[in-house]
Amino acid sequence: MRRIFLSYRINDSVHATAAIATHLARHYGQDNVFRDRDSLPLGSIYPRRIRREVERADVVLAVIGPSWLSIRNKNGERCLDDERDWVRTELRMAFDRGIRVVPVLLDGTPLPAPEMLPGDLRLISHSMYWQVRHRTFESDVNGLIATLDGDRPAAPPAPQAGPQQHNTATGGGTVYANQGGNFTINQNRGGRR
């Protein structure tokens, strides 16, 4: 049975993380999914318990929303630049202990670029990630669970509504296609990039 630790920023993704935690707990059991607000009993000594739970985890889900990189502390500093920031501490501990960290990107949030991260978190930029969107929340979280359970590479996100057609031109040829309705044409030319 997987033990999952959810790392997130309250000001960025508290509601989405709570919903993800609820969904995961239905599958893995409440005792195997750690989210600070749900899992810390009154009187817990926060630093000790967080460290213990990260160490016990099989996987850390780093829930990243649109302001995860830019949230600032009361001194106006970017939280990620503070070595004592709890999100940074949780992720650094996971990387140091060889615990798998899976970025969970919310509603189209891009994977952070390495230059936007402190040195001890730059591995996030090279991590296989998972997307969770509001419109397809349940199927996205179910896909995450299936992937975690199977330890297999993540399947590509489900296509948006509407038909898709993939054509390849070889030998310098050109492909024209129209299925009617709304469509997008992506054209890649062979040769040098």
Side-chain angles (χ1 to χ4, degrees), residues 15-38:
H15 299 296
T17 304
I20 291 167
T22 298
H23 211 76
L24 293 171
R26 279 195 299 248
H27 182 77
Y28 294 109
Q30 188 68 43
D31 292 339
N32 293 316
V33 177
F34 183 89
R35 183 182 86 100
D36 59 355
R37 300 259 167 163
D38 301 326

Side-chain angles (χ1 to χ4, degrees), residues 37-57:
R37 300 259 167 163
D38 301 326
S39 306
L40 287 175
L42 292 175
S44 294
I45 299 173
Y46 191 85
R48 287 184 200 160
R49 186 66 189 270
I50 293 294
R51 284 187 176 92
R52 187 178 103 196
E53 293 299 329
V54 170
E55 289 170 357
R56 294 175 65 197

Side-chain angles (χ1 to χ4, degrees), residues 3-8 24 32-36 46 49-63 86 90-91 99-100:
R3 292 190 60 83
I4 298 172
F5 183 100
L6 287 116
S7 174
Y8 69 103
L24 293 171
N32 293 316
V33 177
F34 183 89
R35 183 182 86 100
D36 59 355
Y46 191 85
R49 186 66 189 270
I50 293 294
R51 284 187 176 92
R52 187 178 103 196
E53 293 299 329
V54 170
E55 289 170 357
R56 294 175 65 197
D58 298 309
V59 63
V60 172
L61 300 182
V63 182
W86 273 107
E90 293 161 359
L91 298 176
I99 298 166
R100 184 166 38 153

Side-chain angles (χ1 to χ4, degrees), residues 20 61-64 101-111 127-133 136-148 152-158:
I20 291 167
L61 300 182
V63 182
I64 300 175
V101 175
V102 177
V104 176
L105 307 177
L106 300 178
D107 288 317
T109 300
L111 190 65
S127 298
M128 293 300 292
Y129 61 88
W130 193 263
Q131 293 184 33
V132 173
R133 297 153 293 205
T136 54
F137 176 83
E138 190 161 336
S139 64
D140 291 343
V141 177
N142 285 339
L144 174 61
I145 290 169
T147 302
L148 291 173
R152 62 184 183 272

